[in-house]
Amino acid sequence: MTVDSPMSSWRLLRIAAGVELLSLAVLLVNLATVHWSAVSSLIGPAHGCAYLFVIVLTARLSRATTRMRLTALIPAIGGLLVLRNGRGQMFPKPNGG
């Protein structure tokens, strides 16, 4: 898969945002229940990497607005908010309709 096409960039951003949110959920459930350090050691860095991927992928989007770039900096839900703000760019409305 090439990163040149805009659709693949949005797809990568969607994956990174999902991993970021899912990893945060796992970390919070682990913290609220058994608090296994092995889970924190494994999922914590994955969550951090997903967060950084969201920021970098958003910054590299050619049509990303300043608002979208700043929204990507919000931990945990920034990627999902960027996807929500960029919906019109991912799926533009057809002309004349």
Side-chain angles (χ1 to χ4, degrees), residues 27-84:
L27 285 171
L28 292 176
V29 167
N30 181 48
L31 181 64
T33 58
V34 293
H35 195 60
W36 288 334
S37 60
V39 172
S40 300
S41 297
L42 179 67
I43 302 298
H47 174 70
C49 286
Y51 174 62
L52 292 176
F53 282 155
V54 165
I55 294 170
V56 170
L57 288 170
T58 303
R60 292 189 59 173
L61 287 174
S62 60
R63 295 183 180 177
T65 62
T66 303
R67 177 181 178 180
M68 290 169 66
R69 288 186 175 107
L70 291 174
T71 302
L73 298 174
I74 300 172
I77 61 168
L80 295 175
L81 293 174
V82 168
L83 289 171
R84 183 173 182 228

